[in-house]
Amino acid sequence: MGVHIQNKIRLALGSVKDHASIGKAMIYNHHDRKAFSDIEIAVLRATGHDNGPIGDKYMHEILFLVSNSPGSIPFLAERISRRLCKTRHRLVALKTLSLIHRLLRGGNRCFEQQLRSAHVSGHLQMSTNSFRKCSDPWTSFLRSYAAYLEERVGWAINQAGKLEPVMFNGLEFGCYEEKSVDMVFRKLPKCQAFIDRVLDCSPRDIVPVADSLAQAALVNTLKESFQVYIMLCDGIEILINMFFDLTRPARALACDILKRASRQSKELHDLYETCKRVMENKNLEYPNVQIITMDHVLALEQCSSFMSTSTSTTPPPLSDCLTTLGKESKKEGNGDNGSSSSQFSCTMETKISKVWVVFEEDDGELQVPMAMDIVS
C-alpha cells in the first residue's frame, strides 16, 4: 500500500512539473519562435509522467510542425536530448527514448537523414547517465534500450521498407553494395553489432516486460531484429559460398564472423523463445533461427589452415587444366599401348534396331526388343 501511494504522489508531482514546463514554454512563445515553441510543447506532452504510451496525435503534431519549420530538426533533437538528460524519472526517460525510436521509424527518408545528421553533430544525444547508479532490472533495460538506439541510428529504412545499414562519410550517408566483398566484411559486422544490442535488451526480469511502455519498446526492437537477422543469414550464405575463394587473411576474418554468428544464433533463439512466453503481443512473426554449430565453423577453419600450410600455389584456371588434360591424352594415344587407346579414339554411333532377341528361360521363351545397337 505504501509503495502504491508513493507512486501516486510521484506521478502527481511529475504532472505538476509537466504543466510548469509547458507553461514556461508558452510564456516564451514569441511570434518569431512560435513554431519552435510549439515543438517543445509537443515534446513535453508526448513524454509526460503518465503511464500511457506516446499518443499518435503528439507524433503527428511533431512531424507536422517540423515539416513546416525549416531548420527545426536540430532544435527538436536538442529538446529531446535535454528532456532525457534532465529527467530523473525512469518512465519519462523510457518515453523519451521511445519517441526517438518512433521518429526514426515514422518519418520520411529526408527527416530520418536529418535526424541522423543531428546525432552525428551532437544535437541528438541518448545519454542515460542520470540512472548510472541504479542497478534494478528497469534501469538495466533502459540503458540497454538507449544503447540499442545508438546503434539503430546507423540504419535507414529503404524504399522497400526494410532496414539497411548506412555508411558514414562526414554528414553524407550511403548504402553498401549487395553481394560483394564490401557487403560481407562491412555489412555483416554491422548486422552482428545490431543483433548484440538486441540481445542486451533481453527481458531478464518480468518487471520491465510487464510494463506497457517497455512492451511497446521491445516489440519495435524485435520487429527490426527480424529484418536484420534475415539479412545476416543471407550474408552468411554468401560468405560461405565465397569462403574458399578468399585470401588467407580474409578467410581468418570470415571465421571470426562465423564464430560470432554461432554464439549469436543460440542466444537469439533463446531470446525469441523467452519473448514468446512473456510478451503480451502474440502476433509477432518470429523467424526460425538456424543455430550455427561451432563444429561446422571449426571444420571450415581447419580447411583454411590446411590450405594455408599447403605448398601448392593458387590453382590454375579451369581452361588451362582442360588444355593440359587434352595434351596428356594425345601422348597416350601415340604410345605403345595402342589397343587401350584405340577403344577411346574410335567414333561411337548409336542406331535404333528392330531386331528381336530370343532368350531361353525355364518356363519358355521370352522375346524382348533390342532397343539400341552400338556400332563403330
Side-chain angles (χ1 to χ4, degrees), residues 30 49 52 72-73 121 154 160 165 240 274 308 322 350 373:
H30 300 295
H49 286 73
S72 60
I73 290 183
S121 62
I240 293 176
T274 301
S308 302
L322 293 177
T350 303
D373 188 17

Side-chain angles (χ1 to χ4, degrees), residues 4-216:
H4 183 66
I5 294 176
Q6 288 179 1
N7 290 335
K8 281 191 173 182
I9 295 175
R10 191 177 292 109
L11 287 175
L13 292 175
S15 179
V16 172
K17 289 181 180 179
D18 291 340
H19 284 294
S21 299
I22 293 173
K24 184 178 179 180
M26 288 181 174
I27 293 175
Y28 294 99
N29 189 358
H30 300 295
H31 178 71
D32 56 341
R33 287 179 52 86
K34 184 177 186 306
F36 285 9
S37 180
D38 291 341
I39 291 174
E40 183 175 4
I41 293 172
V43 170
L44 291 172
R45 287 174 174 169
T47 58
H49 286 73
D50 58 285
N51 287 323
I54 299 175
D56 291 338
K57 64 177 182 179
Y58 298 130
M59 283 293 304
H60 296 157
E61 183 180 0
I62 292 173
L63 293 174
F64 174 78
L65 291 171
V66 170
S67 62
N68 289 277
S69 305
S72 60
I73 290 183
F75 175 82
L76 170 66
E78 287 179 353
R79 285 298 176 256
I80 292 176
S81 302
R82 181 182 178 185
R83 180 69 162 169
L84 181 61
C85 180
K86 292 185 65 175
T87 187
R88 298 297 183 270
H89 200 285
R90 293 174 297 185
L91 195 64
V92 175
L94 181 57
K95 293 181 77 171
T96 306
L97 292 174
S98 298
L99 176 62
I100 297 173
H101 200 176
R102 291 194 62 177
L103 289 174
L104 288 172
R105 290 170 57 88
N108 56 35
R109 298 194 68 179
C110 181
F111 173 83
E112 184 183 358
Q113 182 170 347
Q114 292 184 49
L115 197 62
R116 190 177 300 111
S117 299
H119 178 261
V120 174
S121 62
H123 291 89
L124 179 62
Q125 299 180 9
M126 288 166 272
S127 174
T128 56
N129 291 333
S130 302
F131 307 95
R132 183 172 48 190
K133 296 181 180 180
C134 302
S135 59
D136 57 286
W138 230 106
T139 52
S140 178
F141 176 80
L142 191 66
R143 288 192 294 266
S144 299
Y145 187 46
Y148 168 79
L149 291 179
E150 289 279 359
E151 181 66 30
R152 172 62 177 81
V153 174
W155 291 67
I157 299 177
N158 59 22
Q159 295 180 349
K162 303 296 183 181
L163 278 177
E164 61 180 4
V166 295
M167 297 181 296
F168 290 91
N169 184 16
L171 295 180
E172 299 293 329
F173 307 98
C175 298
Y176 296 102
E177 296 180 2
E178 294 292 335
K179 295 184 179 181
S180 63
V181 176
D182 181 68
M183 181 269 188
V184 171
F185 293 107
R186 293 183 183 272
K187 198 171 184 178
L188 274 184
K190 288 283 291 181
C191 293
Q192 293 184 316
F194 189 100
I195 295 297
D196 278 339
R197 299 287 75 78
V198 174
L199 293 172
D200 291 339
C201 295
S202 174
R204 299 179 179 87
D205 193 273
I206 197 64
V207 174
V209 180
D211 186 86
S212 59
L213 284 175
Q215 285 255 359

Side-chain angles (χ1 to χ4, degrees), residues 290-307:
Q290 301 293 330
I291 298 179
I292 303 174
T293 62
M294 188 59 68
D295 292 339
H296 293 162
V297 180
L298 294 178
L300 279 177
E301 194 171 33
Q302 290 177 358
C303 291
S304 176
S305 300
F306 176 78
M307 293 173 61

Side-chain angles (χ1 to χ4, degrees), residues 283-331:
N283 297 323
L284 294 176
E285 298 180 359
Y286 292 88
N288 184 21
V289 178
Q290 301 293 330
I291 298 179
I292 303 174
T293 62
M294 188 59 68
D295 292 339
H296 293 162
V297 180
L298 294 178
L300 279 177
E301 194 171 33
Q302 290 177 358
C303 291
S304 176
S305 300
F306 176 78
M307 293 173 61
S308 302
T309 56
S310 177
T311 56
S312 60
T313 58
T314 303
L318 181 60
S319 58
D320 294 347
C321 295
L322 293 177
T323 302
T324 305
L325 181 61
K327 291 180 179 179
E328 292 178 354
S329 298
K330 288 183 179 180
K331 291 180 180 179

